[in-house]
Amino acid sequence: MGKEQKKKEKSVNLWAALKSNCYMLRISFQACPGRVTGAFAVRLVQHLNGVFSSVIFWEVLLGYVERDASFWEVVPFLLLSIVFYLGVFFGFSYFDYLTDAVGNQKLYEKLHVRMFQKAADCELECFENPEFYNKYMKAATQIKGRAFRVLGNMSGLFVSLMALGYLCYKTIRIDPYAILFAIFPMISTYIIGKKINMLKYELYQMNIYADRKKEYVKRSVYQQDYAKELRLTNGFWLLMNYFQEAVGAVIQNTKKYGLKVGLLSCFSESLNQVFVTAGSILYASIRLLYFKDLQISEYIVLINTISYISGILVADADCVSKMQDNHLYIQNIREFFDYKPKISQSQPGKAVDRENLLLEMEHVSFSYFGQEKEVLKDINLSISKNEKVVLVGENGAGKTTLVKLLMRLYDPGAGRLVLNGTDVREYAVREYRELFGTVFQDFRIFSLTVAENVLMRRMEEADRETVEMALKNSGVYDKVMTLPKGIETMLTREFDADGAVLSGGESQKIAIARVFAKDCGIAILDEPSSALDPIAEYQMYESMLKACENKAVVFISHRLSSAVLADKIYMLEHGRIIESGSHKELMQKNGKYAEMFRFQAQNYVGEEGA
Ligand code: ADP
C-alpha cells in the first residue's frame, strides 16, 4: 500500500464517516424497519432506566430523607420504582429473545438478497477484475457484521445524546465546573480510540491475503470437485502447507498489532478511572464536608451524573471512532452497491420479436479484461430462425467466448451484434437472454431436485410433462425413473443423505434437458457431448435435432462428425473465422476443415477397428 493511500485512509473525515454510517442505517431500515426501530427503542429504555436509577431515584428518595418524611410516605414511590424496573426488564427480555432474534434473521436475509441480486446483475467481466472481485468479497464478508455494528453504534449514539442533554442540565444546576471531570476522559478516549481503530484496520488489511488463502484451502478441501485429486496426489499436503503458512502470517500480524492495541487500551482505561471516579468524588466531598455548600442529595446526584455523563461521553467517543472504523468498510459495501453494471439484467429496452429471428455479428473483436491479446478478431456471422449452426476449431480457438458474446455475457470491444436489424444493446437484457437456452462445458448441477435442476425454478404440477419430455430428449429419463423419488429426487448429498449422485455423463444430460425444457429461440450447446460415449453422443445429437426443430441451434464441438448434419459450419482458428459453409461446401473447398474432418474420420475408423 502506497504512503499516500495510507495517509488518505488514516485521515477519515468525520462528516464522511457520519454520512456513510447513515447510509448503512438507511439500507438496514429499508431491509427491516422493525429491527432498526426496535434497536432505537431499546436504547431509549436503557437510558431511561439509567437516568432513573442514577439520578431521579436518588434525588426523590434523598429528598424524602432531607424532609424527614415517614416510612409510609416513601412506600408508594418505592413500589412505583419496583414496577418501573420490572417493566424495563420484561421489555429487554422480550426484545432480546423475540424482536431482536427474529429481526436479526430478517435483516440478514434482506441485506444478503440485495447483495446477491447486485452480484448477479454485474457483468461477468466484473468477476475477472481482481479489484472488483476483492470489493465484492469484502462486501460479502462484512455486510452482516457491519450492519449490526452500525445499528448498535448509531442507536447508542443518538439516544445517548438525549440522555446527555438531561444529565448536563442536572449537573450544571448543581455545579457547572464539575462537568470538566466528565469531559477530559472523552478527549483521551477519542484520540486513543482513533489510533486503535487505525491499527485494527491495518491488521485487517495485512491479513486479507492470508485470510483469502485460508478460505481457498478450506473450500478446496471440503468441496467434492477437488476430492478425487486430493486423494490421488500430494495436493492435500501442498494445500495444508499453504494453510499453515497463512495461519502463521495471521498470527505474526496479530501479535505485532495486538500488543500495541492492548497497551493503548490499558492506558486509556486507567486514565479514565482515576480522573472520573476518584477526581469527582474528591471534588464533591470537599464541597460537602469542607465548604458545606452541598446537600446530601446533590452530593449523590452530582457523583452519579458525572460518572454517567463520563460513561456516555466515553461511549460516544468510542461510537465516533467506531463510526470512522465502520466508514472504511461501508465505503467498500457502498461502492459495490453503487456500481452501475455495463450490462444490467434490469436494463430496460425493446421487446424481442421471436417471429423473425436473425442474429448477426458484425466485425466483432474482443479481449478479456486486462488483456491485450484479442481472443476474437473481426468475426462476421449470422444465425437465422431454426438454423442449425456448428462452431468448430481447436481448443482455445475462441468458440466459447463467441457464444458468451452472443448471449451478452460480455459486450464486444469492437463491432456489434444485431438482432432483427437492431443493435442488441437496445433490447431489454433479461428478455434478450431469455432468447437462449444454454449448456456450457463447465455446467453446474445444483443441490436441488432433478425437476428444479431442469426448470431452474420451482416445479408446479403443470410442469411435470415438460420436465419428463426434456429428460426423455436428453436421454436420461430412464435413469431418473430408477431414482427413489423420480424427478423429485434431490441431486447431490449436500442436503439430503438420500440424494442421488449422478455420473459425469448423466449430469451433463440433466444440464442438456434445461435447453429442451426452456421455451427458447436459440439453443446453445457448448461441447454437450464431451462427457458422453460415442453411442450416447449420437443418440443425443439425433434427439437434439428432433427436439430443436423449432429452434435455432448453435453447437460447439471438436468432433466434426456432428457437423455433417448442420446447415452451416464456422471454423475458427486463433480467434478468426477461417472457413464457413455447409459440410458439403467445405469438403469441396478442401481446406482446413476438410483436412481435419478426414484426419478425425480416420481416427474413428481406427477406434472402431481396434
Ligand atoms: P474454445 O472454446 O475454442 O476452446 P475459449 O473461447 O474458451 O476457446 O478461449 C479462447 C481464449 O481465451 C483462450 O486462449 C483462453 O485461454 C482465453 N480465455 C477464455 N476465458 C478467459 C477468461 N475468462 N479470461 C481470460 N482469458 C480467457
Side-chain angles (χ1 to χ4, degrees):
M1 193 190 301
K3 258 190 174 173
E4 260 316 294
Q5 199 189 341
K6 263 190 178 176
K7 238 185 186 173
K8 220 170 151 191
E9 283 186 356
K10 276 186 180 178
S11 59
V12 174
N13 176 318
L14 205 61
W15 176 238
L18 182 66
K19 277 206 304 199
S20 63
N21 278 259
C22 286
Y23 165 82
M24 194 74 217
L25 205 56
R26 179 160 56 84
I27 63 170
S28 303
F29 185 79
Q30 284 164 351
C32 186
R35 174 67 180 90
V36 176
T37 318
F40 277 81
V42 158
R43 293 290 184 173
L44 193 67
V45 175
Q46 235 169 16
H47 280 294
L48 273 178
N49 183 33
V51 167
F52 181 78
S53 2
S54 62
V55 181
I56 300 171
F57 179 80
W58 292 110
E59 202 176 29
V60 176
L61 189 70
L62 294 174
Y64 281 116
V65 175
E66 281 162 5
R67 287 200 309 275
D68 251 346
S70 71
F71 171 72
W72 294 111
E73 275 180 86
V74 184
V75 167
F77 170 68
L78 290 177
L79 286 177
L80 263 177
S81 304
I82 291 169
V83 171
F84 173 78
Y85 283 125
L86 284 176
V88 167
F89 292 133
F90 175 77
F92 279 156
S93 307
Y94 177 81
F95 184 82
D96 267 356
Y97 295 108
L98 203 68
T99 322
D100 199 359
V102 175
N104 283 354
Q105 286 301 320
K106 282 190 186 159
L107 186 59
Y108 170 84
E109 177 213 334
K110 300 267 173 56
L111 284 177
H112 277 81
V113 166
R114 186 170 170 170
M115 197 177 62
F116 298 153
Q117 278 171 342
K118 184 75 198 184
D121 199 26
C122 292
E123 61 274 5
L124 267 192
E125 195 176 281
C126 291
F127 292 81
E128 283 149 14
N129 173 349
E131 200 189 321
F132 182 91
Y133 195 67
N134 255 342
K135 212 167 267 175
Y136 171 47
M137 289 311 284
K138 279 195 210 167
T141 50
Q142 288 288 330
I143 193 161
K144 175 185 158 208
R146 289 296 145 188
F148 291 131
R149 260 175 253 189
V150 167
L151 190 52
N153 206 41
M154 297 296 270
S155 57
L157 185 66
F158 286 135
V159 177
S160 70
L161 288 177
M162 293 198 265
L164 193 65
Y166 174 76
L167 293 163
C168 285
Y169 162 76
K170 276 282 179 206
T171 313
I172 289 167
R173 274 190 58 184
I174 301 171
D175 185 340
Y177 301 111
I179 286 280
L180 289 176
F181 287 100
I183 290 176
F184 174 75
M186 179 195 77
I187 298 167
S188 71
T189 305
Y190 174 70
I191 295 167
I192 296 173
K194 212 169 150 186
K195 179 75 193 156
I196 290 176
N197 282 336
M198 238 39 254
L199 288 171
K200 281 188 189 162
Y201 187 70
E202 272 174 34
L203 175 64
Y204 169 77
Q205 291 281 13
M206 285 192 75
N207 283 341
I208 281 182
Y209 182 66
D211 282 338
R212 271 178 51 190
K213 250 188 184 174
K214 284 192 310 192
E215 282 307 309
Y216 174 74
V217 174
K218 255 167 68 187
R219 264 202 332 266
S220 310
V221 172
Y222 68 60
Q223 272 186 8
Q224 219 178 7
D225 294 1
Y226 299 87
K228 284 196 289 303
E229 265 86 353
L230 290 181
R231 275 153 190 76
L232 297 174
T233 65
N234 283 328
F236 176 80
W237 296 111
L238 192 62
L239 288 179
M240 281 310 105
N241 280 346
Y242 268 101
F243 186 74
Q244 282 161 340
E245 264 172 33
V247 174
V250 171
I251 291 177
Q252 260 195 340
N253 295 338
T254 310
K255 273 186 185 164
K256 185 172 146 203
Y257 282 87
L259 186 67
K260 287 188 200 167
V261 170
L263 287 175
L264 282 172
S265 307
C266 175
F267 176 68
S268 159
E269 197 53 34
S270 9
L271 201 70
N272 292 347
Q273 288 302 327
V274 172
F275 205 82
V276 179
T277 319
S280 64
I281 292 178
L282 188 66
Y283 176 76
S285 302
I286 291 171
R287 283 199 55 187
L288 177 78
L289 302 171
Y290 187 75
F291 293 107
K292 297 194 191 304
D293 58 353
L294 268 191
Q295 295 209 336
I296 187 84
S297 61
E298 288 175 323
Y299 173 79
I300 297 288
V301 168
L302 193 65
I303 290 174
N304 282 355
T305 51
I306 287 172
S307 154
Y308 200 163
I309 290 173
S310 152
I312 288 182
L313 288 177
V314 168
D316 283 356
D318 190 42
C319 281
V320 171
S321 66
K322 276 192 186 138
M323 217 168 74
Q324 289 172 309
D325 175 40
N326 287 332
H327 168 68
L328 299 169
Y329 301 90
I330 297 169
Q331 252 182 334
N332 203 18
I333 295 171
R334 191 170 189 172
E335 277 170 31
F336 172 70
F337 275 129
D338 286 351
Y339 175 75
K340 297 257 175 303
K342 288 185 216 139
I343 312 173
S344 167
Q345 297 254 44
S346 47
Q347 185 185 307
K350 280 175 73 167
V352 174
D353 171 15
R354 289 197 181 193
E355 288 306 308
N356 308 302
L357 210 83
L358 177 62
L359 180 57
E360 295 161 290
M361 278 188 156
E362 292 180 356
H363 303 289
V364 164
S365 297
F366 175 76
S367 318
Y368 279 102
F369 179 84
Q371 299 196 349
E372 274 179 28
K373 189 187 131 205
E374 281 189 334
V375 175
L376 294 177
K377 294 165 205 148
D378 196 27
I379 300 286
N380 290 292
L381 61 73
S382 68
I383 301 156
S384 52
K385 196 171 179 201
N386 301 344
E387 195 176 23
K388 310 295 179 263
V389 174
V390 173
L391 302 179
V392 294
E394 312 238 312
N395 275 341
K399 304 179 297 290
T400 304
T401 308
L402 192 152
V403 296
K404 284 189 204 160
L405 261 80
L406 281 179
M407 287 178 285
R408 281 204 80 197
L409 291 176
Y410 301 93
D411 273 340
R416 62 176 196 151
L417 272 83
V418 179
L419 177 67
N420 300 337
T422 306
D423 192 312
V424 293
R425 282 168 293 196
E426 290 180 30
Y427 291 101
V429 173
R430 194 184 296 274
E431 207 192 318
Y432 176 76
R433 288 204 184 129
E434 276 300 305
L435 195 60
F436 301 92
T438 317
V439 193
F440 279 114
Q441 229 172 328
D442 55 353
F443 63 90
R444 287 277 175 263
I445 292 295
F446 295 91
S447 298
L448 303 168
T449 65
V450 172
E452 286 167 343
N453 261 292
V454 171
L455 293 167
M456 292 314 292
R457 60 176 164 79
R458 290 227 181 243
M459 185 185 76
E460 283 161 26
E461 211 31 56
D463 297 318
R464 186 172 285 275
E465 214 178 298
T466 311
V467 174
E468 288 176 354
M469 174 278 295
L471 292 169
K472 278 178 190 159
N473 283 332
S474 71
V476 73
Y477 180 75
D478 291 342
K479 168 73 192 179
V480 170
M481 283 302 112
T482 65
L483 302 176
K485 293 186 197 157
I487 61 171
E488 282 164 77
T489 309
M490 279 293 263
L491 291 183
T492 83
R493 300 219 172 110
E494 181 106 19
F495 303 117
D496 185 352
D498 296 329
V501 178
L502 300 178
S503 72
E506 288 159 352
S507 300
Q508 198 168 35
K509 286 176 185 171
I510 298 277
I512 292 166
R514 282 177 195 154
V515 175
F516 296 133
K518 189 172 172 184
D519 174 28
C520 59
I522 303 177
I524 296 186
L525 299 111
D526 185 356
E527 301 261 8
S529 48
S530 63
L532 306 183
D533 56 62
I535 297 171
E537 181 194 22
Y538 178 77
Q539 286 169 346
M540 199 279 300
Y541 196 66
E542 238 192 350
S543 58
M544 185 206 74
L545 286 181
K546 214 163 92 198
C548 291
E549 250 169 20
N550 300 322
K551 296 182 201 310
V553 177
V554 179
F555 193 85
I556 296 183
S557 182
H558 65 276
R559 290 180 187 160
L560 300 192
S561 53
S562 52
V564 178
L565 295 170
D567 299 319
K568 210 187 291 164
I569 299 159
Y570 289 98
M571 181 154 190
L572 277 93
E573 193 178 78
H574 305 307
R576 283 186 193 280
I577 293 178
I578 53 163
E579 286 177 21
S580 65
S582 68
H583 173 71
K584 212 168 147 197
E585 285 163 0
L586 292 185
M587 289 307 284
Q588 275 167 3
K589 197 175 173 193
N590 208 13
K592 274 248 166 159
Y593 174 84
E595 186 189 329
M596 208 166 147
F597 186 84
R598 282 193 206 105
F599 179 74
Q600 287 194 0
Q602 255 175 18
N603 279 349
Y604 288 135
V605 172
E607 262 177 36
E608 271 169 25

